Amino acid sequence: MSFFKIVLLVVITIVMFSFINHYQDNNNNDYYAPINTKILAFGDSLTYGSGVDTNESYPSQLADLLQITVINAGVSGEESTEGLERLPRVLQQDKPQIIVICEGGNDILRNRDLKKTKKNIAKMIQLAQKQKVFVILVGVPKLDILTVSTASFYFDLAKQYNVPLVDNALQTALNDNSLKLDDGHPNGKGYRILSRKIADIVTNQYINPNM
């Protein structure tokens, strides 16, 4: 085989692999949401997407996966007390069918009383469920001795209110240097993990109440 043919074969192989990877990254056929479903992504900087491009935040990636409207209602620096105060207004304004609650990160970071944090998030869930909004809860990690792991109260809340919990996406991202910007925020690849976990829950557990 001539040198030219070898080079051509290598180039073709590289192009084919690039196409396959691109297709796999952008093929959203595994995910589905009923038409006209609106998701409210509610939380702090983890929702807002601090430090990444807008299209790399998890709400933007989730919208791309499900091909529906996802409202980014993240406020950087917000604590759960502030989120609880803000939520009724946002629910009234946006009227979503689904809400993703990702609160408590700044409470953990600033060593707030996590019993109060748990109560605040519980009230958020109650507010949403009272308005027949499907709730998805995202567990936020706290720093242990050597690693970060999801704070235990998120599991308690998920069980108490019978809501699906994304318990390990942020934990996975924040334990891997290739998936995070810093010790408290994922990068675009890390947010991709979170968006896929949420999209999977929407696809498999959300039932359109209008069907």
Side-chain angles (χ1 to χ4, degrees):
M1 183 180 293
S2 69
F3 177 76
F4 174 76
K5 288 182 178 179
I6 293 173
V7 171
L8 182 61
L9 182 60
V10 170
V11 171
I12 291 173
T13 302
I14 292 173
V15 170
M16 287 181 63
F17 272 111
S18 297
F19 174 80
I20 291 170
N21 288 335
H22 176 78
Y23 177 80
Q24 290 176 337
D25 285 342
N26 292 281
N27 181 19
N28 302 334
N29 292 338
D30 291 338
Y31 305 112
Y32 167 80
I35 191 169
N36 296 326
T37 300
K38 185 191 297 183
I39 297 178
L40 176 66
F42 189 84
D44 49 35
S45 60
L46 290 169
T47 299
Y48 179 78
S50 295
V52 299
D53 292 339
T54 301
N55 63 350
E56 291 184 311
S57 69
Y58 96 72
S60 291
Q61 296 197 56
L62 181 62
D64 182 55
L65 288 171
L66 293 172
Q67 294 296 296
I68 59 172
T69 298
V70 179
I71 299 167
N72 188 332
V75 175
S76 294
E78 181 173 81
E79 295 185 11
S80 63
T81 298
E82 298 164 319
L84 177 59
E85 182 180 349
R86 183 169 65 96
L87 181 57
R89 181 177 69 256
V90 178
L91 284 173
Q92 178 63 30
Q93 172 183 301
D94 294 321
K95 295 180 173 58
Q97 287 77 45
I98 301 172
I99 182 172
V100 181
I101 298 176
C102 181
E103 286 274 4
N106 289 310
D107 298 52
I108 293 171
L109 183 65
R110 298 165 186 168
N111 295 315
R112 305 302 189 211
D113 181 359
L114 295 187
K115 292 181 180 179
K116 179 68 179 297
T117 303
K118 181 179 179 180
K119 289 180 180 178
N120 288 338
I121 297 176
K123 290 178 181 178
M124 294 182 204
I125 296 172
Q126 292 169 8
L127 280 168
Q129 290 183 331
K130 187 176 181 180
Q131 298 186 34
K132 309 300 182 184
V133 178
F134 183 81
V135 177
I136 299 173
L137 183 63
V138 176
V140 180
K142 61 181 299 187
L143 181 64
D144 290 330
I145 296 175
L146 296 176
T147 61
V148 291
S149 58
T150 303
S152 61
F153 68 82
Y154 290 101
F155 296 92
D156 298 336
L157 289 169
K159 182 177 180 180
Q160 181 178 353
Y161 293 99
N162 192 30
V163 299
L165 172 67
V166 182
D167 63 335
N168 61 0
L170 291 176
Q171 174 181 312
T172 297
L174 297 179
N175 273 313
D176 187 333
N177 289 333
S178 70
L179 298 174
K180 66 181 181 179
L181 291 173
D182 53 43
D183 288 339
H185 298 89
N187 58 23
K189 291 181 180 179
Y191 282 127
R192 187 70 167 178
I193 294 173
L194 176 57
S195 65
R196 284 176 170 167
K197 293 284 188 180
I198 296 170
D200 185 67
I201 290 173
V202 173
T203 299
N204 293 294
Q205 297 189 41
Y206 174 66
I207 300 175
N208 186 352
N210 296 318
M211 292 180 64

